[in-house]
């Protein structure tokens, strides 16, 4: 069973990718959807088995690397954490596969697209089922490669190519740190297998970095650095890239250039959740590094706040949802940073349903508007596309944390656990969580009201041409809405209940959280703000838009600051991109063209040409000239022999 979960998507990818032209569009779509669906069903069975029987296993596929004492196997590791991720990845992916049949109906390259989707799923399944860091890194890079292929799927669009390259390069920055972390793990522990590494961690928690054996610790900024801190920070660097945390986030909004199913897959179930999974999987390391946990929490808080503020002023429907993803990932990270790893995974789980629902719903809107994505060119269509409207409202309610929907349970749990953690980090995280929840509600309802309510503002399409999407696109949205409504209530007790034993040894908790003494105001403040923000948003964005216009005019600097995404892209262009481009041009023009080419191949060719032109002058074509030259040559040779 475990083998099939991972290998079936790979099989579908191979068949659709290599034999798609022979099989045709429909067979490839049916095949890939069926194989991924079987994988999803098997994942559900595995989860049920883990939940009811405390099942765990490690299935060997083959021995991968064997060099002396260094042994790395390709295995499928099943534990509670893996079982949850299997559901998220395979179930969401299967729904998106079916949705893609309708969304990509007019694309001439359907087999290639389905092959990429299935390959993406395989890479993510490989990542979450790994029992060692090397296999994890293989799946990690596989996800990165597939993201490049999918974001740049419409490769004839320059913007899609640029976005794909940007995603690939930015992730390589994070992956460089991740690779260094794995190298350091191998250097210290002599192995990359999870169990062996985690077992040896207590022996190294106080070991400080030194340049030579038995030498004094090497100070950094006047402070000795522990190996465990450095390893965790390097691993987190990789997580920052994959999960689009602040400073390495710039690729995520641009990834919206890919087809909408790609956006849903990347943002809900696969790539961006890999970083959160990495931190939680490595909890036996992070629990011994308070420095790393503090960094994780601070970066998570900064990301949640940053992305929420930027989403307030964006006009592209997919980019608004993309920044919401970035913000929610911030929630997950600061939950992990305070040691509430199970709560981070709980939010990852619920988030997958409502975020995939929002992306697929936005895809249905874009489909109805003939590829229009600007919410300013929409409005007044909720009666035309009522099913899509209802699904988007459900997803928005869940995202904002409206009472008793999925997002409510997980988001409230993060805020409460942050408060219970106490201290500067805990209380700061709780405050940021509450404030960002308010911002989330405002920009989410702004999207809903400007898209579906008010006046119809689209000049390209007649209002009568707006129509509901086909059932093949709507049914997946309906299935996801069930998860967006019920997932939180059904699984709260399993994942974060007071007496839950679900996680067993898959997550390490060195400290136990207190589950009492939560003040009443903390329980009610977020739901109240989220609820009250709905009529306020409607009034500001629909009924009396002049208030916002005046506010923007009075605060033009802040508005431009947010609209330009805190100028991160401009800053990176100024610091990195432009200097590197200028250096490249300098080396090309001055070094390559003027020096290497001029005096190398081009210079040699010119020299040969000059010599050949001179030599031509000696070729008269008269026999007596050649005889005379031979005679002179013979005379010189004879003279040389006589003298010497």
């Amino acid at each position: 069973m475990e083998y099939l979960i991972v290998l079936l998507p790979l099989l579908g990818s191979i068949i659709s990718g290599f034999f798609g032209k022979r099989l045709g569009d429909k067979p490839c779509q049916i095949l890939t959807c069926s194989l991924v669906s079987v994988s999803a069903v098997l994942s559900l069975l595995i989860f049920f088995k883990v939940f009811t029987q405390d099942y765990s296993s490690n299935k060997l596929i083959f021995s991968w690397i064997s060099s002396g004492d260094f042994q790395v196997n390709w295995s499928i590791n099943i534990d509670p954490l893996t079982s949850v991720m299997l559901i998220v990845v395979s179930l969401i992916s299967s729904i998106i596969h079916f949705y893609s049949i309708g969304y990509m109906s007019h694309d001439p390259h359907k087999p290639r697209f389905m092959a990429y989707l299935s390959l993406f799923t395989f890479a993510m399944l490989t990542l979450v089922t790994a029992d060692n860091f090397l296999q994890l890194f293989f799946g990690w890079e596989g996800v990165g490669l597939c993201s490049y292929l999918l974001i740049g799927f419409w490769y004839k669009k320059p913007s899609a190519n640029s976005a794909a390259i940007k995603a690939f390069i930015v992730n390589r920055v994070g992956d460089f740190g991740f690779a260094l972390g794995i190298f350091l793990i191998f250097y210290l522990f002599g192995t990359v297998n999870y169990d062996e590494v985690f077992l040896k961690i207590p022996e190294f928690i106080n070991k400080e970095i030194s340049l030579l054996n038995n030498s004094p610790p090497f100070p950094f900024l006047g402070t000795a650095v522990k190996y465990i801190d450095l390893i965790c920070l390097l691993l987190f660097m990789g997580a920052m890239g994959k999960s689009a945390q602040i400073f390495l986030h710039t690729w995520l909004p641009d990834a919206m250039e890919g087809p909408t199913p790609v956006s849903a897959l990347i943002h809900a179930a696969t790539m961006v959740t890999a970083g959160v999974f990495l931190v939680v999987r490595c909890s036996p390391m992070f629990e011994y590094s308070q420095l790393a946990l503090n960094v994780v929490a601070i970066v998570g808080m900064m990301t949640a706040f940053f992305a929420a503020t930027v989403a307030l002023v964006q006009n592209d429907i997919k980019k608004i949802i993309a920044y919401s993803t970035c913000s929610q990932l911030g929630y997950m990270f600061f939950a992990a940073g305070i040691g509430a790893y199970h709560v981070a995974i709980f939010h990852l789980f619920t988030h997958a349903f409502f975020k995939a629902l929002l992306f697929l719903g936005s895809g249905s809107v874009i489909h109805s508007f003939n590829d229009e994505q600007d919410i300013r060119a929409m409005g007044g269509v909720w009666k035309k596309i009522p099913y899509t409207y209802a699904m988007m409202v459900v997803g928005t309610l869940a995202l904002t944390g409206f009472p008793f929907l999925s997002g409510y349970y997980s988001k409230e749990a993060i805020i409460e656990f942050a408060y219970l953690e106490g201290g500067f980090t805990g209380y700061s995280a709780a405050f940021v969580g509450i404030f960002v929840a308010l911002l989330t509600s405002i920009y989410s309802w702004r999207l809903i009201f400007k898209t579906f309510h008010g006046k119809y503002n689209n000049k390209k399409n007649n209002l009568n041409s707006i129509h509901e999407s086909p059932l093949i696109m709507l049914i997946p949205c309906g299935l996801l809405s069930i998860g967006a409504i019920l997932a939180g209530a059904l699984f709260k007790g399993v994942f974060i209940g007071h007496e839950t034993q679900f996680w067993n040894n898959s997550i390490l908790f060195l400290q136990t959280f207190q589950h009492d003494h939560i003040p009443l105001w903390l329980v009610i403040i977020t739901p109240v703000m989220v609820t009250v923000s709905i009529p306020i948003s409607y009034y500001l964005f629909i009924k009396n838009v002049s208030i916002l216009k005046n506010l923007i005019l009075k605060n033009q600097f802040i508005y431009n600051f947010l609209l330009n995404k805190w100028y991160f892209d401009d800053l990176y262009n100024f610091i990195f991109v432009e200097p590197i481009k200028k250096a490249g041009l300098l080396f090309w023009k001055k070094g390559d063209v003027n020096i290497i080419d001029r005096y190398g191949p081009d210079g040699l060719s010119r020299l040969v040409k000059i010599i050949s032109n001179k030599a031509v002058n000696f070729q008269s074509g008269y026999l007596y000239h050649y005889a005379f030259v031979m005679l002179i040559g013979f005379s010189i040779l004879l003279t040389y022999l006589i003298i010497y």
Side-chain angles (χ1 to χ4, degrees), residues 104-296:
M104 302 297 289
S105 59
H106 301 297
D107 195 278
H109 305 291
K110 300 179 191 67
R112 178 165 63 90
F113 183 77
M114 303 304 289
Y116 289 168
L117 283 184
S118 293
L119 186 62
F120 204 149
T121 306
F122 162 73
M124 191 65 190
L125 290 171
T126 300
L127 189 157
V128 301
T129 57
D131 72 342
N132 62 80
F133 286 98
L134 202 58
Q135 184 182 337
L136 172 72
F137 189 74
F138 179 89
W140 192 273
E141 293 303 306
V143 169
L145 172 63
C146 292
S147 71
Y148 171 80
L149 296 173
L150 285 167
I151 295 170
F153 180 78
W154 288 322
Y155 56 86
K156 293 183 179 180
K157 291 174 59 181
S159 58
N161 280 323
S162 298
I165 293 170
K166 187 176 183 179
F168 195 80
I169 292 174
V170 173
N171 273 277
R172 295 295 72 73
V173 176
D175 293 351
F176 177 70
F178 186 29
L180 289 178
I182 295 175
F183 292 148
L184 189 55
I185 288 171
F186 176 69
Y187 169 74
L188 280 181
F189 305 106
T191 181
V192 292
N193 295 316
Y194 292 156
D195 292 340
E196 297 176 23
V197 172
F198 297 158
L199 192 64
K200 296 179 180 179
I201 287 291
E203 303 173 14
F204 292 86
I205 57 176
N206 294 316
K207 189 174 181 179
E208 296 173 336
I209 296 175
S210 57
L211 296 178
L212 299 171
N213 290 332
N214 301 319
S215 65
F218 177 75
F220 178 74
L221 299 178
T223 306
V225 180
K226 296 178 180 179
Y227 274 110
I228 190 67
D229 291 337
L230 183 58
I231 290 173
C232 290
L233 290 174
L234 288 172
L235 294 179
F236 180 60
M237 187 174 171
M240 286 179 64
K242 275 291 184 289
S243 295
Q245 295 300 282
I246 195 167
F247 305 123
L248 294 178
H249 69 279
T250 54
W251 68 270
L252 193 62
D254 292 352
M256 298 301 101
E257 290 293 337
T260 298
V262 175
S263 304
L265 193 61
I266 290 177
H267 287 244
T270 55
M271 189 168 173
V272 296
T273 62
V276 180
F277 170 79
L278 173 65
V279 172
V280 176
R281 172 60 78 193
C282 294
S283 60
M285 288 184 178
F286 281 87
E287 279 292 89
Y288 290 102
S289 176
Q290 190 59 48
L291 172 63
L293 286 177
N294 289 338
V295 171
V296 172

Side-chain angles (χ1 to χ4, degrees), residues 162 165-166 169-170 173 250 254 568-585:
S162 298
I165 293 170
K166 187 176 183 179
I169 292 174
V170 173
V173 176
T250 54
D254 292 352
F568 269 109
D569 285 294
D570 301 278
L571 183 65
Y572 287 174
N573 281 335
F574 178 76
I575 297 176
F576 300 111
V577 178
E578 292 303 322
I580 291 173
K581 284 175 66 177
K582 290 178 179 178
L585 287 171

Side-chain angles (χ1 to χ4, degrees), residues 346-617:
F346 182 39
H347 194 51
L348 184 155
F349 181 79
T350 60
H351 174 265
F353 291 99
F354 60 72
K355 187 51 55 70
L357 174 60
L358 285 171
F359 268 114
L360 298 192
S362 70
S364 181
V365 172
I366 294 167
H367 180 81
S368 300
F369 278 90
N370 293 320
D371 298 328
E372 177 62 69
Q373 295 186 194
D374 194 328
I375 60 174
R376 294 171 298 182
M378 300 178 184
V381 295
W382 72 273
K383 292 182 179 179
K384 289 287 184 178
I385 45 176
Y387 191 90
T388 298
Y389 172 67
M391 296 299 100
M392 289 290 288
V393 168
V394 170
T396 298
L397 289 170
L399 169 64
T400 58
F402 193 81
F404 310 117
L405 273 76
S406 291
Y408 164 76
Y409 293 99
S410 55
K411 193 176 291 186
E412 276 295 304
I414 291 174
I415 295 171
E416 291 175 7
F417 272 82
Y419 182 86
L420 291 171
E421 171 67 11
F424 177 78
T425 303
Y427 290 137
S428 299
F431 172 78
V432 170
I434 294 169
F435 184 65
V436 171
L438 175 62
L439 297 181
T440 302
S441 185
I442 293 171
Y443 70 68
S444 297
W445 288 110
R446 172 178 177 263
L447 184 152
I448 292 294
F449 293 139
K450 291 187 78 69
T451 302
F452 297 99
H453 292 270
K455 296 180 180 179
Y456 183 74
N457 298 311
N458 194 286
K459 297 179 181 179
K460 297 179 182 178
N461 304 293
N462 188 278
L463 179 60
N464 295 323
S465 67
I466 305 299
H467 59 278
E468 194 65 92
S469 299
L471 282 177
I472 194 65
M473 293 173 63
L474 296 178
I475 291 175
C477 293
L479 294 174
L480 288 170
S481 68
I482 297 173
I485 296 171
L486 299 177
L490 292 177
F491 292 95
K492 180 184 177 181
V494 176
F495 291 165
I496 62 172
H498 293 190
E499 306 298 328
T500 184
Q501 300 294 321
F502 174 76
W503 301 107
N504 290 329
N505 296 322
S506 62
I507 300 176
L508 176 66
F509 300 96
L510 289 181
Q511 62 174 346
T512 57
F513 287 90
Q514 302 295 323
H515 292 273
D516 51 8
H517 306 301
I518 298 175
L520 180 62
W521 67 266
L522 187 69
V523 177
I524 65 174
I525 185 170
T526 305
V528 169
M529 288 195 310
V530 166
T531 305
V532 172
S533 68
I534 300 174
I536 294 175
S537 298
Y538 182 79
Y539 181 77
L540 291 174
F541 299 120
I542 299 298
K543 300 298 290 184
N544 197 344
V545 295
S546 60
I547 296 177
L548 279 178
K549 290 181 179 179
N550 293 330
L551 188 64
I552 291 171
L553 289 173
K554 292 179 180 178
N555 300 275
Q556 196 67 43
F557 174 78
I558 297 175
Y559 178 77
N560 290 333
F561 181 73
L562 299 179
L563 191 64
N564 289 281
K565 300 162 286 189
W566 289 27
Y567 293 103
F568 269 109
D569 285 294
D570 301 278
L571 183 65
Y572 287 174
N573 281 335
F574 178 76
I575 297 176
F576 300 111
V577 178
E578 292 303 322
I580 291 173
K581 284 175 66 177
K582 290 178 179 178
L585 287 171
L586 178 66
F587 284 120
W588 173 39
K589 295 290 186 181
K590 302 294 185 182
D592 190 24
V593 176
N594 290 345
I595 297 176
I596 297 175
D597 286 347
R598 183 178 181 182
Y599 298 104
D602 292 346
L604 288 173
S605 66
R606 283 195 300 270
L607 180 62
V608 170
K609 187 177 181 179
I610 292 170
I611 294 172
S612 64
N613 289 334
K614 296 293 184 184
V616 167
N617 297 328

